[in-house]
Amino acid sequence: MADKLLEIKDLNVIYETDESTVYAVNGLNLSINEGETLGLVGETGAGKTTTALSIMKLLPEKIGLIKKGEIILDDINVTNATEHDMRLLRGDTVSMIFQDPMTSLNPTLTVGEQIAEVLELHKKDMNKEQVQKRVEEILELVGLPAERKSEYPHQFSGGMKQRVVIAIALACEPKLLLADEPTTALDVTIQAQVLEMMKELKDKLNTAMLLITHDLGVVAETCDRVAIMYAGEIIELGTVEDIFNGNKHHPYTDGLFGSLPDLTKKTRRLSPIEGLMPDPTDLPSGCPFHTRCNKCMDICKTEKPKITVDNSHMIKCHLFK
């Protein structure tokens, strides 16, 4: 049995402004083992990025607040950690690939300087020559020529920028990598290359990964386990086999699969999930999905569903008692 690297218990996160309170994450429970890849799937606004930012303790200052719960990362309680403690953790124990590579890099510094900055902060025993050698190694590792370390971000294409961002994230060989839709801005060919590269690096370095994505095809190819998130809650969790080949699913998971094109069937239109994600400032009572669910019962409108567990498969729905 692999050791737990990350454990999130009953996490509640809000964004508080003068106008309203956004309930972004609501009672989230999640764990990742060493060397494991967990896919976090859900629509825009489900709370996926907020979960990753909470692990890094990078929520917007004075607005984003962890109201309840614990985040235990490598035996350290992140929720109680000081900013000094987090600076030592970020980049070394945990790194994040942010959503947009175009805005993740500093346009005034060379890519080599930006990779070296991480090493200089965390690897105090390395001299300048060793740092530069490591910068060249990590660039080669992500498929970029070492001599391009003296170039600036504007001299790289979108796919190359994403590789540089991944190089920065992996420079200190972190135990956990948070990848927030790392291939959204890339074309299909580059997307496949970046994913294959991330998979190889993960296997080589035994890095655990939280992969946030909308793409169920990417999840099937890359992940060991999958968590389906809706309105700030995990409503289904299981192995890739449980989610893709299992018979029992949350109606929302069925809806996600139903909205995918099927090459074996001839249909005039896709079958999207009707309606929109609920307003996070005014979440519905009972099951948060009941307003869009085609299997909604009276109990769904008033009572929160309990968790049903079948071996490695967890579903939070009144249909399964």
Side-chain angles (χ1 to χ4, degrees):
M1 177 99 183
D3 292 330
K4 277 185 187 173
L5 179 64
L6 173 73
E7 188 164 17
I8 302 174
K9 302 174 188 174
D10 195 26
L11 182 67
N12 288 260
V13 181
I14 62 167
Y15 293 109
E16 203 162 41
T17 66
D18 293 338
E19 282 139 25
S20 61
T21 300
V22 174
Y23 297 94
V25 175
N26 307 295
L28 183 136
N29 292 285
L30 205 59
S31 66
I32 301 177
N33 296 325
E34 290 178 2
E36 180 184 46
T37 299
L38 176 71
L40 191 58
V41 180
E43 289 169 279
T44 299
K48 306 183 300 296
T49 299
T50 298
T51 301
L53 291 175
S54 301
I55 296 165
M56 295 284 284
K57 220 169 181 186
L58 287 175
L59 293 167
E61 200 175 343
K62 295 179 183 175
I63 297 171
L65 303 167
I66 295 174
K67 293 298 284 182
K68 189 182 168 191
E70 278 187 331
I71 301 168
I72 311 295
L73 173 62
D74 198 26
D75 296 327
I76 296 165
N77 190 337
V78 169
T79 39
N80 297 334
T82 64
E83 183 57 26
H84 176 263
D85 294 335
M86 289 310 299
R87 279 187 192 146
L88 297 176
L89 278 177
R90 294 185 201 121
D92 191 25
T93 303
V94 57
S95 281
M96 187 163 175
I97 301 169
F98 292 94
Q99 214 159 3
D100 185 4
M102 311 298 173
T103 57
S104 297
L105 296 169
N106 187 333
T108 65
L109 296 175
T110 66
V111 298
E113 286 171 329
Q114 295 184 60
I115 299 168
E117 187 179 15
V118 187
L119 295 164
E120 286 162 4
L121 184 66
H122 294 291
K123 303 293 182 187
K124 304 283 189 187
D125 55 330
M126 293 175 82
N127 60 37
K128 283 189 178 180
E129 289 75 25
Q130 288 171 320
V131 167
Q132 287 308 309
K133 190 181 175 195
R134 178 63 181 154
V135 168
E136 290 170 7
E137 280 174 6
I138 201 80
L139 279 172
E140 296 279 0
L141 198 63
V142 297
L144 292 172
E147 57 269 20
R148 297 201 68 176
K149 69 178 183 179
S150 56
E151 294 181 16
Y152 290 86
H154 73 270
Q155 294 172 275
F156 293 81
S157 68
M160 287 177 169
K161 279 195 186 94
Q162 189 64 293
R163 287 168 186 262
V164 172
V165 171
I166 292 168
I168 293 168
L170 292 172
C172 292
E173 301 185 2
K175 293 182 180 180
L176 176 64
L177 183 64
L178 309 175
D180 188 1
E181 298 186 33
T183 57
T184 302
L186 310 177
D187 63 62
V188 178
T189 311
I190 301 299
Q191 186 181 63
Q193 288 176 4
V194 168
L195 284 169
E196 186 58 36
M197 180 196 71
M198 285 172 67
K199 203 172 174 183
E200 284 173 13
L201 292 172
K202 189 188 89 68
D203 293 340
K204 187 176 177 183
L205 305 173
N206 195 36
T207 302
M209 183 158 66
L210 177 67
L211 178 64
I212 296 170
T213 182
H214 294 281
D215 194 329
L216 288 164
V218 169
V219 169
E221 284 288 318
T222 315
C223 299
D224 302 307
R225 288 191 302 139
V226 188
I228 309 292
M229 195 169 185
Y230 187 82
E233 297 179 33
I234 302 296
I235 55 170
E236 186 166 357
L237 175 69
T239 62
V240 170
E241 288 77 17
D242 291 331
I243 303 300
F244 284 82
N245 300 327
N247 298 321
K248 293 180 180 178
H249 290 301
H250 192 286
Y252 179 62
T253 309
D254 282 332
L256 290 178
F257 281 110
S259 59
L260 291 173
D262 188 341
L263 297 178
T264 63
K265 294 176 185 173
K266 193 172 182 179
T267 53
R268 289 174 63 83
R269 295 179 68 87
L270 295 176
S271 306
I273 303 168
E274 296 295 329
L276 297 169
M277 182 80 70
D279 181 354
T281 64
D282 184 24
L283 292 169
S285 59
C287 173
F289 187 61
H290 85 257
T291 55
R292 303 170 70 188
C293 184
N294 56 10
K295 295 177 181 174
C296 178
M297 303 175 287
D298 288 338
I299 192 173
C300 303
K301 298 172 185 176
T302 54
E303 282 187 34
K304 284 268 184 196
K306 289 191 170 75
I307 292 169
T308 305
V309 180
D310 181 8
N311 293 323
S312 58
H313 194 187
M314 179 281 281
I315 305 176
K316 196 189 272 190
C317 180
H318 286 297
L319 288 171
F320 310 101
K321 289 185 178 178

